[in-house]
Amino acid sequence: MAETMRQTVASILKSIERYNPANLQTLERYVELQSRENTYDLEANLAVLKLYQFNPERFNPDITCQILLKALTNFPHTDFTLCKCLLLESVVENETISQIKYLADILEQCDFAQFWNRVHQMPELCNRISSFHDSIRKFVCHVVGITFQTIDKNNLANLLGGIDDVTLKHWVKKYGWKDEGNLIFIANQDENIKTKNITEKIEFDHLAPLMAIL
């Protein structure tokens, strides 16, 4: 169903029809389909927000929240910033949208403990997005993978949203990390740091005017 809908939406986005408010209902259904079936189409979602800009009377806060939450699942890419830039000032004042913006801010700051704490306080909102938690955990693992050499097992579980041992083992195996008792070995970060010898070549013709002054 998602693939069929994607083709329909793609044909709309390729023409001037992307600015036709009559297509908004189709595009909104497509957003809901993305939320249910864990698919993602940034271009289509941006088109919805653009139509809300041009037709503020058609603004749908529920669809907008879904679009913003889907953008969160694609961190560290800048999708959320692109979506946020299309929001009208009056829209930003919406309480739920403000909460999602705050989620984006603390996620960007890698304050994962605070992020999960806020997510757990709004289960009805985040649970509408299929695989929302796992998508965020992929970003957490990305950050952990480039930051830590070893990490305490309990700390890692908390960074991933307070997951249990079985789920933790799944993520450790998924990223090829090693369970060493109370510690998880991530990677030898020394091997990822390569020194560079910088050689600067200065031609004589470039020095000639300076030498003449001296």
Side-chain angles (χ1 to χ4, degrees):
M1 184 176 180
E3 186 58 33
T4 302
M5 193 75 173
R6 181 186 292 273
Q7 294 174 7
T8 301
V9 170
S11 65
I12 293 174
L13 299 179
K14 288 179 181 178
S15 67
I16 195 66
E17 285 298 308
R18 70 184 296 148
Y19 301 109
N20 185 351
N23 291 317
L24 192 51
Q25 189 173 7
T26 298
L27 293 172
E28 288 175 335
R29 286 201 307 269
Y30 186 46
V31 172
E32 294 179 327
L33 186 64
Q34 293 175 55
S35 298
R36 290 197 307 268
E37 300 192 5
N38 193 26
T39 59
Y40 186 53
D41 191 329
L42 175 62
E43 184 181 2
N45 295 348
L46 291 175
V48 172
L49 297 179
K50 177 61 71 174
L51 281 170
Y52 288 158
Q53 268 192 335
F54 293 153
N55 308 274
E57 73 283 355
R58 302 283 297 273
F59 170 69
N60 187 322
D62 180 60
I63 293 295
T64 301
C65 288
Q66 291 183 58
I67 289 174
L68 294 176
L69 288 171
K70 289 295 294 184
L72 279 184
T73 65
N74 207 33
F75 258 71
H77 298 289
T78 58
D79 298 21
F80 189 88
T81 300
L82 294 174
C83 293
K84 184 175 65 174
C85 289
L86 293 177
L87 300 179
L88 296 173
E89 185 175 351
S90 58
V91 169
V92 176
E93 297 174 357
N94 178 282
E95 181 180 355
T96 306
I97 291 177
S98 295
Q99 291 177 345
I100 298 174
K101 281 186 58 187
Y102 180 68
L103 284 180
D105 290 340
I106 56 181
L107 189 61
E108 187 173 19
Q109 297 165 14
C110 297
D111 188 350
F112 300 128
Q114 179 66 4
F115 176 85
W116 290 115
N117 181 52
R118 294 301 291 262
V119 165
H120 295 328
Q121 294 176 18
M122 51 178 73
E124 293 183 1
L125 181 65
C126 296
N127 288 343
R128 292 192 60 187
I129 309 301
S130 177
S131 299
F132 176 82
H133 297 77
D134 282 349
S135 296
I136 300 300
R137 288 179 183 123
K138 289 179 182 178
F139 172 60
V140 175
C141 288
H142 164 74
V143 174
V144 169
I146 62 176
T147 306
F148 291 90
Q149 181 155 301
T150 59
I151 184 172
D152 180 81
K153 184 181 293 186
N154 291 330
N155 186 18
L156 179 59
N158 289 330
L159 291 178
L160 292 172
I163 57 178
D164 56 35
D165 288 342
V166 174
T167 307
L168 179 63
K169 289 179 180 179
H170 162 76
W171 287 98
V172 169
K173 182 178 179 180
K174 180 180 177 68
Y175 283 88
W177 300 335
K178 296 179 181 179
D179 189 334
E180 298 182 343
N182 293 327
L183 293 176
I184 300 296
F185 177 78
I186 304 299
N188 185 353
Q189 299 295 352
D190 292 339
E191 296 178 356
N192 297 328
I193 302 174
K194 298 180 180 179
T195 59
K196 292 184 178 180
N197 293 322
I198 301 176
T199 303
E200 187 171 354
K201 184 178 181 181
I202 302 177
E203 300 290 343
F204 178 78
D205 290 343
H206 297 159
L207 291 176
L210 179 61
M211 294 175 65
I213 295 175
L214 297 176

